[in-house]
Amino acid sequence: MVDRKRQIVASRVFQTDSGDLTLQILGGGGDSASFGYQFLDENRAATASLDVHGADSLQALLFCITAAGDYLQRYVPTASFADLGVSALLTTDLEAVGEWRAHVSMPAVLPASSP
């Protein structure tokens, strides 16, 4: 079910083999530091969602974005944003030992030089 009660704070559209998939990051509700994500298919039906909590709102937001990236990497590996694949979204670094670590990889876009 699509959550229409919470404010969308960020969104991104991914291309997949089966059409566009929209990621919406939703503001938390209540007194706890939380954010949520939902993925919507081309028919605007929710295909996946998760609420994430953190020690503060920044940590909760980072956890939420990373959880969305991890979901795509595992369940929708064909998803791509601007032909960058899921690497254009934070994902969990599974090689980290004794700590949680996320990484993102995308090309730097440099401004055009002036003549």
Side-chain angles (χ1 to χ4, degrees), residues 21-22 28 34 40 43 50 54 60 66-67 74 109-110 114:
L21 186 65
T22 302
S34 67
L40 307 177
N43 298 317
L50 181 70
T66 306
R74 180 167 184 178
V109 178
L110 302 174
S114 303

Side-chain angles (χ1 to χ4, degrees), residues 30-106:
D31 296 332
S32 66
S34 67
F35 284 87
Y37 74 73
Q38 62 185 7
F39 285 101
L40 307 177
D41 65 16
E42 289 187 338
N43 298 317
R44 306 298 289 167
T47 59
S49 63
L50 181 70
D51 285 325
V52 179
H53 299 268
D56 61 17
S57 59
L58 183 59
Q59 185 184 59
L61 178 59
L62 289 171
F63 285 169
C64 183
I65 293 170
T66 306
D70 290 345
Y71 175 86
L72 286 178
Q73 189 171 46
R74 180 167 184 178
Y75 297 107
V76 193
T78 62
S80 182
F81 170 74
D83 295 325
L84 299 173
V86 296
S87 62
L89 201 61
L90 286 167
T91 55
T92 300
D93 180 354
L94 298 177
E95 295 180 10
V97 177
E99 66 180 350
W100 175 80
R101 193 171 31 192
H103 58 88
V104 65
S105 176
M106 65 181 69

Side-chain angles (χ1 to χ4, degrees), residues 4-17:
R4 299 188 195 285
K5 296 176 186 172
R6 293 164 66 183
Q7 180 181 5
I8 299 168
V9 297
S11 66
R12 174 172 282 175
V13 177
F14 292 89
Q15 289 74 45
T16 73
D17 288 346

